[in-house]
């Protein structure tokens, strides 16, 4: 399965050196040039892991021919290019975390999966045994913010929080 990815999910997994989870869940991931630029610039601490994934070819960079006119200019370049690339290539799935970008992608008919959904898929497919340690690492090392109610909801869905 091929999926288009925006920067945030890539950053979250790269920051904790767990891009292997993305590869195991999706096989092949395609990113637009703006996402490549955002995740491989000097100063981004985990850029080496993104670059290694590109060299190994399971993470591919594809140019976007045009930005769809119905994608709001308020979204950042990576989000706009990722949504456009998903529409352009006919790939129905896109990895996105930001609320506004998710809403636009869903409105345009794309199936959106965020970082939390990826973690749940990985556990359901037995790629990881627990969501909590991976999510906690993202929160602590990738500055990934998750509200307490959502954090608890995800752990309940993963059957890791018993009340």
């Amino acid at each position: 399965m091929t999926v288009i990815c925006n920067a945030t999910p890539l950053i979250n997994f790269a920051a904790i050196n767990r891009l292997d989870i993305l590869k195991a869940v999706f096989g092949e991931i395609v990113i637009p040039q703006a996402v490549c630029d955002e995740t491989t610039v000097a100063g981004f601490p985990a850029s080496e892991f993104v670059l290694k994934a590109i060299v190994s070819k399971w993470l591919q960079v594809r140019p976007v021919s045009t930005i769809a006119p119905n994608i709001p200019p308020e979204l950042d370049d990576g989000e706009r290019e990722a949504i456009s690339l998903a529409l352009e290539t006919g790939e129905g799935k896109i990895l996105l975390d930001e609320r506004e970008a998710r809403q636009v992608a869903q409105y345009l008919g794309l199936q959106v999966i965020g970082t939390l959904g990826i973690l749940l898929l990985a556990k359901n497919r037995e790629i990881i045994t627990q969501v909590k340690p991976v999510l906690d690492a993202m929160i602590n090392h990738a500055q990934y913010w998750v509200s307490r109610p959502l954090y608890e909801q995800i752990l309940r869905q993963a059957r890791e929080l018993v009340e």
Side-chain angles (χ1 to χ4, degrees), residues 134-150:
V134 181
L135 180 53
D136 287 348
M138 287 178 179
I139 290 167
N140 294 325
H141 302 291
Q143 286 75 53
Y144 183 55
W145 187 85
V146 180
S147 71
R148 193 77 187 148
L150 183 56

Side-chain angles (χ1 to χ4, degrees), residues 36-100:
C36 180
D37 295 346
E38 192 177 333
T39 57
T40 59
V41 291
F44 173 56
S47 61
E48 65 188 279
F49 303 125
V50 176
L51 291 168
K52 282 181 189 170
I54 292 169
V55 168
S56 67
K57 301 215 185 306
W58 69 264
L59 182 63
Q60 298 179 9
V61 183
R62 288 205 197 134
V64 177
S65 58
T66 57
I67 300 293
N70 48 357
I71 299 174
E74 297 79 37
L75 299 183
D76 75 27
D77 289 346
E79 294 162 351
R80 296 177 79 230
E81 284 193 16
I83 293 168
S84 290
L85 191 58
L87 295 170
E88 201 173 281
T89 60
E91 299 297 346
K93 290 190 172 101
I94 186 166
L95 308 181
L96 277 170
D97 278 324
E98 295 74 18
R99 180 179 296 141
E100 295 82 9

Side-chain angles (χ1 to χ4, degrees), residues 6 63 119:
N6 185 38
L119 290 173

Side-chain angles (χ1 to χ4, degrees), residues 103-152:
Q103 290 170 342
V104 169
Q106 287 168 334
Y107 175 78
L108 295 173
L110 299 172
Q111 181 187 349
V112 177
I113 307 168
T115 296
L116 299 174
I118 297 164
L119 290 173
L120 290 172
L121 280 172
K123 180 166 182 185
N124 291 341
R125 295 180 188 175
E126 299 179 350
I127 294 162
I128 58 175
T129 56
Q130 287 187 299
V131 167
K132 187 179 186 313
V134 181
L135 180 53
D136 287 348
M138 287 178 179
I139 290 167
N140 294 325
H141 302 291
Q143 286 75 53
Y144 183 55
W145 187 85
V146 180
S147 71
R148 193 77 187 148
L150 183 56
Y151 179 85
E152 291 174 0

